[in-house]
Amino acid sequence: MLIKRTQRQRSDAQSRGSIAESLSAQGGGLDRRTFLRRSGLAGGGLAALSALPTGGVRKAEAAMAGPLSAGATVKKSICTHCAVGCTVTAEVLNGVWIGQEPSWSSPINRGSHCAKGASVRELVHSDRRLRYPMKLVNGQWTRVSWDMAVNEIGDKLSQIREKSGSDSVYWLGSAKMTNEGAYLFRKLGAFWGTNNTDHQARICHSTTVTGVANTWGYGAMTNSINDIRNSKTLLFIGSNAAEAHPVGMQHMLESKEINRANFIVFDPRMTRTAAHATEYVRIRPGTDIPVLYGMMWHILKNGWEDKEFIAQRVYGFDDLRKEVEKWTPEETERVTGVPGAQLERVAKMFATVKPATIIWCMGQTQHTVGTANVRASCIALLMTGNIGKSGAGANILRGHDNVQGATDVGLDIVTLPFYYGLAEGAWKHWSRVWEVDYDYLVSRFDEKKQMETPGIPLTRWFDAALLPKADVAQKDNVKAVFVQGHASNSITRIPESLKGLAALELLVIADPHPTTWASLAVEAGRKDGVYILPVATQFECTGSRVASNRSMQWGEQIVKPVFESKDDLEIIYLLAKKLGFADKMFKNIKVENNLPVAEDVLREINRGSWSTGYCGQSPERIKAHMKNQHKFDLVTMRAPKDDPEVGGDYYGLPWPCWGSPEVRHPGSPLLYNTNLGVMDGGGAFRPRFGIEREEKLADGTTRKVSLLADKSFPKGSEIEDGYPEFTLASLKKLGWDTDLTETEMATIKKINPANPDAVSWSLDLSGGIQRVALKHGCVPFGNGKARMNAFGLPDPIPVHREPIYTPRVDLVAKYPTLPDAKQFRLPNIGFSVQKAAVEKGIAKQFPLILSSGRLVEYEGGGEETRTNPWLAELQQDMFIEISPADAADRGIKDGGWVWVSGAENNSRARMKALVTERVGKGVAWMPFHFGGWLGGADLRKNYPAGTDPIVLGESANTITSYGYDPATGMQEPKVTLCQIVAA
């Protein structure tokens, strides 16, 4: 049980005289395991405390956490694991991190941590960290100096560029970087001359970003974990928050208890989250759209939809209705396995017990129909008017501490920072921000066409290395991969990636740990051409991060980088310097001893991020929030308006935080909320797809339909209807251009001398257009309708499509995957693969559906957390969950060793069986955090000496198979087929 250190000191004697004495009275000495077992804490509960003498329970007292040791200082950073955004309070003495507490004043974690958060100090102190740069020489890991490593890497990159072009190098960044690091990594890609720059969002929430942004404007969580405390119905689909986001789960459970809220869980597996459900709905993996449409069928049949909301704020409802009407209770049950009566019960709760929220994570996004899945959830919210309101919304839980921020700052293959895209206008905007000639940036690319073409998704880097050159739409195949903070075992089709590793001319791994990139590269037969660079953890760096709810937080450097580790920012600078463009890239960023100043990087971000509203989040404002955490309300996350430092702000200034920092916009805690004024955090749907659309009617004629809101607007708006985005021309039309200052007008004219009227709210570097729109109570981007019909996507109305490898071959003819097509520079042959699987009878050879997910003890690819002794002790073996019926049919015993074989590449993996009713008959489940084994072989010998993780195991992605979302390149680790036999 976590208690404040000062409380512990004051009541030390009392504490020892109660709990310890009561336990010791049971006889025998106590080790840690015995204590946990006897106290009941090992099971996650505190029930044992009720059996203790009353002296063991003391009255709660307010207290301030403080350093225990004389001369120590307290520093704050952010937990480096999931994106809930928990603050870590560190006690530092003589440059050593000697103590840790969760932040009692943080409105997010309120003095609590999960197992991972409670053990983060070990990430810095670990004796299994990389200590110095290394390279593979004749199959042996050899120590080299930083100078040698950077010089040799830079020379090889330049050689590859000369021969194969700038696109032949793949730059794989990280959600573990700060905003500043991720932004500079994307900027590095731009100055190198490629859009082949990606990070973890590709494999977790790229489908969320695309699906949500194409529905109502921005691709992010609309509300916050704290706001879920206001919900009366919580619907989880593809989220196991109890394990993936445990501290966030506390807020959700309090909503359940305080509001007596409905707690509905859609999941193929009886998860720890489902254990809390008031209604658990077991669905077949890969049937999210049918089950949501089945729910909507009942909503429409009973007239439970929000008709006024739809009329005022939604486009395409009639198109959507036609698709929903196909999903009768009978068809829905045939496809999903969910009885109609249960879905009707759920539909009534969701539509009538409001506010209601949908909470999702990777269980919904990691599919070939991931974008369509996300869209279906958004449509359910629109249909019931559960968006833009407190307690409602799309509460999308992100998996890494800065995956939201890294996405926002443009570490992506489809856009420059802040979703400006890749068109010429976007490049010209950033050339103005960076103060470099646009023509110079063009010259860095193999050709201008490639500059404006999305890159290759990280899910397919090895295909780009292995496919015939003619199939890869760039000058040459991928020849080098520079990966800084991303696991290889998080990517599907490991047997194919092994071939890709062997084909590369250069592999550079920059990370606190060697990761499975190193062990698999050796296993692939590489003897040279591999470098490992030791990177500092985020606790050894300074900078900002953005939590799931869009709140920005500042992390202080707790201790200096250990051993020879370097900050991400320094490594990026050294590379840019070696490659010859550091002077241009860091023109407006101060660099001290080769380390770019994080605050300066954030200020550059502020100067260019008008489209997303990072423009108001200055380092000074964010640091003030960290200093004054205790002033922010637990539920609203707002500070008192009369506070001199953070008055009226929402915690972390959740974007959009409009205007320059001097405007002091408070942030937007709930997106699209018309119940508040814009300067109070209110907003509207973003009309980013035009202001009207021509539709064909049944008689062959056409009509034009407005895409602007109808009689709906934020509180206090001077325009009481829908309106397009603001430009200088629209300000002139309204007579508001006179509100611009001379300086603002001069900047606008400089941006587009030929036609200043065309300069918009997102391109105006002065911030004047935004400031004037805010002054008149208007949202700078306009006021439009959300789209049920997202014209422009592969499926404008979401359509159910069976997984590539489905056990229900009888449904493939009616619900096939999309036709083969060229996407993201590569062929997507999912249709051909699905067709072949049906023809070859793969479902008979591999009759079990295999899905994967997260454990509370580990995170991501797991190298970092499986190296932590406190976490490694908790989960020591890779395993697969199998139902009692399937286990009995195969003679498999609980805890026994099994072989799992996959549908492709003759893949197989050896692990332990967990026989459990968590999974239904015909379904198996694996955690995705393990690595270091391959096909039953232990690869511990492949790691540099002393850096191997404590716990190794087979990777789930050895078994996963082909399948990619056409809109994003998302992989499909949530549905494939397998067979399991006793080993």
Side-chain angles (χ1 to χ4, degrees):
M1 185 168 56
L2 293 166
I3 62 171
K4 296 182 183 180
R5 183 171 281 145
T6 45
Q7 284 182 303
R8 190 185 306 127
Q9 288 174 289
R10 285 199 302 266
S11 56
D12 189 63
Q14 179 185 6
S15 188
R16 289 174 181 165
S18 52
I19 298 176
E21 288 180 7
S22 297
L23 290 170
S24 64
Q26 297 176 26
L30 283 179
D31 59 15
R32 185 165 66 91
R33 285 181 177 273
T34 307
F35 171 79
L36 291 173
R37 184 170 63 252
R38 292 185 182 177
S39 68
L41 296 178
L46 297 176
L49 294 181
S50 63
L52 299 177
T54 54
V57 180
R58 59 183 180 277
K59 184 178 178 181
E61 300 175 18
M64 297 296 292
L68 176 65
S69 306
T73 58
V74 171
K75 296 186 177 183
K76 288 183 179 179
S77 190
I78 310 304
C79 180
T80 190
H81 294 299
C82 81
V84 168
C86 299
T87 300
V88 173
T89 302
E91 185 181 350
V92 181
L93 182 64
N94 297 326
V96 179
W97 188 356
I98 63 170
Q100 176 193 335
E101 292 184 358
S103 176
W104 303 92
S105 55
S106 167
I108 294 175
N109 59 310
R110 309 171 300 150
S112 60
H113 272 326
C114 71
K116 294 187 293 293
S119 64
V120 291
R121 190 171 72 101
E122 186 64 30
L123 301 181
V124 173
H125 287 267
S126 173
D127 60 2
R128 291 173 181 259
R129 284 271 298 271
L130 284 169
R131 302 186 178 210
Y132 35 76
M134 306 183 84
K135 74 173 182 177
L136 199 59
V137 179
N138 195 27
Q140 298 298 314
W141 293 110
T142 305
R143 180 177 183 172
V144 295
S145 69
W146 268 101
D147 286 345
M148 179 182 288
V150 171
N151 284 325
E152 290 184 3
I153 290 166
D155 289 342
K156 186 61 177 177
L157 289 172
S158 297
Q159 291 170 16
I160 292 171
R161 178 191 178 93
E162 180 68 24
K163 181 181 65 173
S164 299
S166 57
D167 278 331
S168 64
V169 177
Y170 200 95
W171 300 90
L172 182 48
S174 180
K176 292 297 182 209
M177 293 175 174
T178 59
N179 288 316
E180 295 74 26
Y183 169 82
L184 287 180
F185 199 83
R186 178 59 179 101
K187 192 176 180 181
L188 178 72
F191 277 73
W192 170 260
T194 188
N195 294 323
N196 286 334
T197 55
D198 213 351
H199 81 291
Q200 282 92 343
R202 181 68 40 206
I203 57 174
C204 60
H205 280 287
S206 59
T207 47
T208 286
V209 173
T210 300
V212 174
N214 274 280
T215 302
W216 46 53
Y218 284 124
M221 186 176 192
T222 62
N223 292 46
S224 71
I225 291 171
N226 294 60
D227 183 65
I228 295 174
R229 301 171 76 92
N230 294 312
S231 304
K232 293 186 178 177
T233 295
L234 291 74
L235 193 159
F236 296 77
I237 181 164
S239 166
N240 180 14
E243 293 208 68
H245 304 90
V247 175
M249 184 70 170
Q250 293 179 341
H251 293 278
M252 300 166 198
L253 290 175
E254 289 193 44
S255 172
K256 179 189 176 188
E257 296 302 316
I258 294 169
N259 301 332
R260 299 293 186 265
N262 298 310
F263 204 90
I264 305 161
V265 178
F266 287 7
D267 205 292
R269 179 172 170 256
M270 182 68 178
T271 63
R272 291 182 181 180
T273 303
H276 293 280
T278 57
E279 186 82 40
Y280 169 55
V281 182
R282 193 191 288 276
I283 68 173
R284 176 168 68 91
T287 61
D288 303 59
I289 293 169
V291 80
L292 287 165
Y293 276 166
M295 184 179 79
M296 288 184 242
W297 188 93
H298 290 288
I299 291 172
L300 294 179
K301 176 177 179 286
N302 290 283
W304 293 331
E305 73 272 21
D306 191 326
K307 298 176 180 62
E308 182 182 14
F309 185 92
I310 292 168
Q312 291 184 334
R313 303 190 69 187
V314 176
Y315 168 78
F317 175 66
D318 291 338
D319 298 330
L320 183 279
R321 182 192 288 272
K322 293 173 188 174
E323 185 64 28
V324 171
E325 286 173 350
K326 300 175 185 177
W327 290 95
T328 62
E330 295 75 21
E331 182 65 359
T332 301
E333 184 169 3
R334 184 174 83 95
V335 173
T336 70
V338 180
Q342 185 178 30
L343 270 187
E344 183 174 23
R345 188 163 62 246
V346 168
K348 185 174 184 179
M349 286 187 280
F350 182 74
T352 65
V353 185
K354 302 199 290 189
T357 180
I358 296 182
I359 299 163
W360 76 76
C361 197
M362 296 191 301
Q364 183 168 222
T365 64
Q366 289 183 327
H367 296 269
T368 55
V369 290
T371 298
N373 283 347
V374 165
R375 291 257 305 120
S377 286
C378 294
I379 287 167
L381 292 165
L382 291 171
M383 181 180 285
T384 54
N386 275 306
I387 194 74
K389 299 170 184 175
S390 180
N395 282 302
I396 306 154
L397 304 179
R398 309 301 294 264
H400 291 272
D401 61 322
N402 197 40
V403 70
Q404 182 65 58
T407 305
D408 297 336
V409 302
L411 187 40
D412 198 296
I413 61 171
V414 301
T415 185
L416 283 161
F418 303 102
Y419 312 104
Y420 278 88
L422 295 172
E424 182 178 303
W427 282 102
K428 286 186 173 179
H429 168 73
W430 283 102
S431 71
R432 288 189 292 268
V433 176
W434 295 334
E435 296 182 10
V436 297
D437 291 338
Y438 166 72
D439 289 340
Y440 168 77
L441 292 174
V442 174
S443 74
R444 299 297 298 164
F445 284 77
D446 294 332
E447 56 179 315
K448 185 173 184 290
K449 179 184 175 183
Q450 295 300 96
M451 183 182 193
E452 298 170 5
T453 301
I456 295 165
L458 72 85
T459 50
R460 305 199 64 190
W461 73 264
F462 47 86
D463 284 334
L466 295 170
L467 285 171
K469 186 175 176 179
D471 288 345
V472 184
Q474 57 186 40
K475 183 177 178 179
D476 203 348
N477 295 78
V478 166
K479 301 293 184 180
V481 172
F482 190 108
V483 54
Q484 190 161 334
H486 195 296
S488 68
N489 57 317
S490 294
I491 306 170
T492 55
R493 302 170 61 206
I494 282 178
E496 289 296 310
S497 73
L498 215 64
K499 300 172 191 174
L501 287 168
L504 294 176
E505 294 182 24
L506 175 68
L507 172 64
V508 182
I509 307 155
D511 200 275
H513 301 272
T515 77
T516 50
W517 287 97
S519 63
L520 290 176
V522 173
E523 192 65 16
R526 294 200 68 95
K527 301 294 184 183
D528 52 29
V530 183
Y531 292 80
I532 306 178
L533 305 177
V535 180
T537 69
Q538 291 310 305
F539 300 113
E540 298 153 70
C541 307
T542 187
S544 63
R545 301 138 175 98
V546 176
S548 270
N549 70 317
R550 296 166 285 106
S551 284
M552 183 182 287
Q553 300 182 94
W554 189 267
E556 295 179 277
Q557 183 186 59
I558 293 176
V559 292
K560 293 187 181 300
V562 299
F563 308 120
E564 293 183 22
S565 299
K566 290 187 182 294
D567 190 307
D568 286 311
L569 277 63
E570 183 176 356
I571 294 171
I572 294 167
Y573 175 76
L574 291 173
L575 270 175
K577 187 176 178 181
K578 170 63 181 176
L579 297 170
F581 48 75
D583 55 337
K584 290 182 173 65
M585 182 172 163
F586 294 89
K587 182 176 182 179
N588 296 305
I589 297 168
K590 187 177 181 181
V591 178
E592 298 176 341
N593 296 321
N594 292 327
L595 178 63
V597 175
E599 289 85 349
D600 265 15
V601 181
L602 182 52
R603 290 186 189 103
E604 182 172 282
I605 288 171
N606 296 154
R607 290 196 297 273
S609 57
W610 306 96
S611 64
T612 312
Y614 269 61
C615 40
Q617 299 170 319
S618 68
E620 292 77 17
R621 293 187 76 188
I622 298 302
K623 288 179 181 181
H625 281 218
M626 299 301 292
K627 175 185 173 185
N628 293 281
Q629 285 182 317
H630 59 286
K631 296 178 181 176
F632 293 89
D633 184 79
L634 171 64
V635 181
T636 66
M637 299 185 79
R638 197 169 196 184
K641 289 190 176 183
D642 60 354
D643 186 83
E645 291 188 87
V646 294
D649 287 352
Y650 295 98
Y651 181 67
L653 301 173
W655 65 259
C657 180
W658 296 121
S660 65
E662 292 71 29
V663 169
R664 295 203 66 82
H665 187 272
S668 306
L670 312 177
L671 293 178
Y672 322 118
N673 182 6
T674 57
N675 298 310
L676 293 176
V678 178
M679 280 302 291
D680 249 350
F685 292 133
R686 182 180 174 186
R688 59 183 298 184
F689 309 101
I691 60 175
E692 63 180 11
R693 184 167 188 251
E694 188 170 88
E695 296 181 335
K696 280 190 176 181
L697 302 178
D699 61 4
T701 61
T702 61
R703 66 174 180 179
K704 289 186 176 180
V705 179
S706 174
L707 299 178
L708 299 179
D710 183 12
K711 300 181 181 63
S712 172
F713 47 88
K715 182 179 179 181
S717 172
E718 292 184 25
I719 302 177
E720 297 185 345
D721 209 346
Y723 50 87
E725 67 172 357
F726 279 88
T727 62
L728 179 58
S730 60
L731 291 187
K732 287 180 176 179
K733 187 175 181 180
L734 292 163
W736 296 352
D737 59 308
T738 56
D739 292 335
L740 292 168
T741 67
E742 289 184 11
T743 302
E744 289 168 343
M745 184 62 83
T747 300
I748 291 168
K749 290 179 177 178
K750 186 177 179 182
I751 290 169
N752 190 343
N755 184 16
D757 283 1
V759 176
S760 72
W761 61 284
S762 62
L763 299 179
D764 171 19
L765 299 184
S766 77
I769 294 176
Q770 286 199 12
R771 183 185 60 79
V772 172
L774 296 171
K775 177 181 177 182
H776 295 275
C778 297
V779 186
F781 59 57
N783 179 12
K785 287 184 174 179
R787 303 190 306 165
M788 286 186 172
N789 181 340
F791 48 88
L793 287 179
D795 285 321
I797 299 292
V799 173
H800 171 59
R801 299 186 181 279
E802 279 294 305
I804 302 296
Y805 288 97
T806 174
R808 294 293 304 275
V809 294
D810 57 308
L811 297 175
V812 170
K814 187 174 182 180
Y815 303 112
T817 193
L818 283 163
D820 294 349
K822 196 74 168 279
Q823 295 153 359
F824 302 104
R825 308 188 184 187
L826 301 172
N828 181 344
I829 58 169
F831 184 86
S832 295
V833 175
Q834 185 182 63
K835 183 173 181 290
V838 173
E839 292 172 349
K840 293 176 181 178
I842 294 295
K844 292 181 179 178
Q845 301 171 51
F846 303 93
L848 299 176
I849 299 173
L850 176 64
S851 193
S852 62
R854 181 174 292 207
L855 299 172
V856 69
E857 297 89 354
Y858 296 144
E859 190 221 1
E863 296 284 279
E864 191 174 60
T865 42
R866 286 184 286 108
T867 301
N868 187 324
W870 304 108
L871 299 174
E873 183 179 356
L874 300 175
Q875 191 63 257
Q876 299 178 23
D877 296 299
M878 174 60 176
F879 63 91
I880 185 166
E881 292 182 354
I882 182 172
S883 73
D886 289 326
D889 289 345
R890 291 161 173 79
I892 292 170
K893 295 181 179 180
D894 184 43
W897 288 96
V898 296
W899 283 104
V900 183
S901 55
E904 293 180 353
N905 282 299
N906 296 313
S907 60
R908 66 178 199 154
R910 187 172 185 267
M911 62 196 70
K912 289 188 175 180
L914 175 58
V915 180
T916 174
E917 293 182 351
R918 291 180 197 163
V919 291
K921 182 175 172 55
V923 178
W925 181 93
M926 291 182 188
F928 56 56
H929 311 292
F930 288 82
W933 278 28
L934 184 67
D938 187 331
L939 308 186
R940 195 175 293 275
K941 66 183 185 305
N942 294 354
Y943 291 86
T947 66
D948 49 311
I950 297 168
V951 171
L952 301 181
E954 298 273 11
S955 171
N957 283 319
T958 300
I959 306 299
T960 52
S961 51
Y962 197 98
Y964 299 100
D965 176 79
T968 63
M970 169 65 81
Q971 60 192 20
E972 187 163 44
K974 289 294 184 277
V975 192
T976 189
L977 295 176
C978 74
Q979 180 59 288
I980 308 174
V981 298

